[in-house]
């Protein structure tokens, strides 16, 4: 009997040990063990791969070239217009006083040259991927990538002579002109022809009696005192209106002429000090034609030939009345159409 009890106790102990083992094993299975995978995923998310930026190309550029043949007023108008056009295409404007083949880099798309433009034909031939524009009085012919805006300074001088006679009492108009400009000694002839297209012989009604308009010419670069002396000689004929070319223009001369009460014409805008005496600015302006050319230039098309018009600006209606302005505008239209030859002498 005692033996049976001891055997039962051993069996019960073994059952207890087996049950305890099974219980511990079940608890261990229910609790999952964390792996390293999430930590690796988080590390990758917080440290993304570094991207290499693409190289930034420099912007396309437009070169504005000006030489000794460019007048200050023309260049200012063209630079203003070209700055706006370049900005529309996000292009950079570069200004040069000369141009060589080494200046035409890969970024250069358009070249605009104001003045004599010597050598532009050869440069255009050597850079067919670039569009060139010459705003010039020189006899340059267009080519596939070279467009010409022809400037005819004789037209502006002719209209200045016409206006000086049109608005001057008793025809008494005069001009101060360069003797070494693009027209040379023909500048005085053209100015005189402009006046005489309006009034024929232009003989005044009172003394001193000379045939108007009259003019004086000096080399460009002459001092203001020399131009003043030249005008004083002209004024012996009692001048009422005077055209002052770019070559003659200076603050000193304009101040003197204003103090004398003269009516002024010029090829550049007036300063406020003499604006009350100013009748009009007479210029040949090629800058508006850049607007017409620009879409083709951007598209890589060239070979055009255009003629820059004479433009009247800074008009004082008390000096140049609307009726007289209309007469001048008609004369400009006839010039532009080739109906009038500025170098021909009108019948007297």
């Amino acid at each position: 009997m005692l033996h049976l009890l001891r055997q039962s106790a051993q069996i019960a102990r073994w059952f207890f040990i087996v049950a305890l083992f099974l219980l511990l094993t079940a608890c261990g299975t229910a609790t999952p063990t964390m792996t390293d995978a999430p930590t690796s995923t988080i590390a990758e998310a917080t440290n993304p791969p570094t991207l290499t930026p693409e190289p930034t190309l420099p912007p396309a550029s437009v070169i504005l070239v000006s030489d000794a043949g460019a007048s200050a007023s023309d260049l200012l108008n063209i630079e203003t217009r070209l700055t706006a056009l370049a900005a529309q295409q996000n292009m950079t404007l570069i200004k040069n006083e000369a141009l060589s083949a080494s200046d035409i880099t890969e970024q250069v798309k358009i070249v605009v040259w104001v003045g004599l433009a010597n050598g532009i034909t050869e440069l255009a031939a050597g850079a067919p991927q670039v569009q060139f524009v010459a705003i010039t009085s020189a006899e340059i012919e267009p080519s596939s990538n070279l467009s010409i805006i022809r400037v005819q300074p004789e037209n502006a001088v002719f209209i200045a002579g016409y206006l000086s006679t049109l608005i001057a009492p008793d025809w008494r108009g005069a001009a101060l002109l360069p003797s070494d400009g693009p027209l040379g000694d023909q500048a005085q002839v053209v100015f005189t022809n402009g006046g005489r297209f309006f009034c024929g012989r232009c003989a005044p009604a009172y003394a001193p009696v000379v045939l108007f308009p009259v003019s004086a010419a000096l080399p460009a670069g002459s001092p203001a005192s020399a131009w003043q002396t030249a005008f004083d000689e002209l004024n012996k004929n009692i001048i009422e209106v005077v055209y002052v070319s770019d070559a003659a223009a200076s603050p000193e001369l304009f101040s003197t002429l204003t103090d004398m009460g003269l009516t002024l014409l010029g090829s550049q805008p007036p300063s406020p000090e003499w604006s009350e005496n100013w009748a009009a600015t007479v210029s040949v302006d090629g800058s508006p034609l850049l607007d017409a050319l620009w879409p083709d230039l951007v598209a890589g098309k060239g070979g055009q030939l255009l003629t820059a018009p004479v433009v009247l600006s800074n008009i004082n209606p008390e000096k140049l009345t609307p009726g007289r302005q209309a007469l001048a505008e008609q004369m400009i239209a006839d010039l532009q159409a080739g109906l009038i030859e500025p170098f021909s002498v009108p019948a007297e």
Side-chain angles (χ1 to χ4, degrees):
M1 185 69 177
L2 181 62
H3 173 73
L4 291 172
L5 290 172
R6 287 178 178 174
Q7 189 175 11
S8 299
Q10 289 177 350
I11 292 171
R13 188 183 300 115
W14 279 109
F15 272 113
F16 176 77
I17 292 171
V18 171
L20 181 61
F21 175 79
L22 292 174
L23 178 62
L24 291 174
T25 302
C27 291
T29 303
T31 306
T33 302
M34 295 293 293
T35 66
D36 293 334
T39 303
S40 175
T41 302
I42 293 172
E44 290 177 3
T46 56
N47 295 283
T50 303
L51 298 177
T52 303
E54 295 183 2
T56 302
L57 296 176
S61 59
V62 181
I63 297 180
L64 173 60
V65 189
S66 59
D67 57 39
S71 73
S73 56
D74 290 346
L75 184 59
L76 178 61
N77 290 337
I78 292 162
E79 182 180 342
T80 301
R81 190 66 60 100
L82 197 57
T83 298
L85 291 171
Q88 292 175 10
Q89 303 295 323
N90 295 319
M91 293 181 175
T92 301
L93 180 63
I94 301 170
K95 294 186 289 183
N96 285 5
E97 293 183 356
L99 189 69
S100 64
S102 62
D103 296 318
I104 305 173
T105 63
E106 292 183 3
Q107 285 71 47
V108 177
K109 303 302 179 185
I110 298 170
V111 172
V112 178
W113 194 327
V114 186
L116 300 177
N118 291 327
I120 194 171
T121 300
E122 292 76 15
L123 287 169
Q129 76 282 5
V130 178
Q131 286 299 316
F132 290 77
V133 181
I135 303 177
T136 181
S137 60
E139 293 298 323
I140 300 173
E141 296 302 319
S143 61
S144 59
N145 65 325
L146 172 58
S147 295
I148 308 297
I149 297 177
R150 186 83 71 210
V151 176
Q152 296 174 300
E154 62 270 19
N155 288 352
V157 175
F158 181 90
I159 292 299
Y162 182 83
L163 278 176
S164 71
T165 308
L166 180 65
I167 65 177
D170 209 23
W171 322 127
R172 295 179 182 272
L176 297 172
L177 302 165
S179 59
D180 53 357
L183 299 178
D185 58 6
Q186 291 295 296
Q188 290 178 276
V189 173
V190 171
F191 183 81
T192 299
N193 286 347
R196 294 186 179 177
F197 259 92
F198 178 71
C199 60
R201 296 181 71 248
C202 305
Y206 59 91
V209 176
V210 295
L211 300 182
F212 286 99
V214 295
S215 61
L218 294 175
S222 297
S225 58
W227 290 106
Q228 181 63 58
T229 299
F231 177 76
D232 290 342
E233 187 66 25
L234 291 176
N235 200 35
K236 292 178 180 178
N237 298 305
I238 309 178
I239 302 303
E240 298 282 357
V241 176
V242 58
Y243 169 73
V244 182
S245 65
D246 270 355
S250 69
E252 297 86 352
L253 180 63
F254 276 129
S255 294
T256 300
L257 298 177
T258 301
D259 291 343
M260 296 172 66
L262 296 171
T263 296
L264 304 175
L265 295 165
S267 52
Q268 57 185 310
S271 293
E273 302 93 301
W274 47 80
S275 59
E276 289 186 5
N277 293 62
W278 201 261
T281 299
V282 187
S283 61
V284 178
D285 188 4
S287 62
L289 297 182
L290 284 173
D291 289 346
L293 281 177
W294 192 253
D296 283 345
L297 297 176
V298 172
K301 300 176 183 178
Q304 298 195 49
L305 175 60
L306 304 174
T307 301
V310 176
V311 177
L312 301 181
S313 57
N314 309 117
I315 295 171
N316 181 347
E318 294 184 1
K319 301 291 185 180
L320 176 58
T321 61
R324 289 174 175 173
Q325 181 183 343
L327 290 174
E329 296 285 3
Q330 182 59 56
M331 183 64 71
I332 291 171
D334 290 345
L335 272 175
Q336 200 76 11
L339 301 178
I340 295 173
E341 171 52 58
F343 293 98
S344 66
V345 179
E348 296 185 356

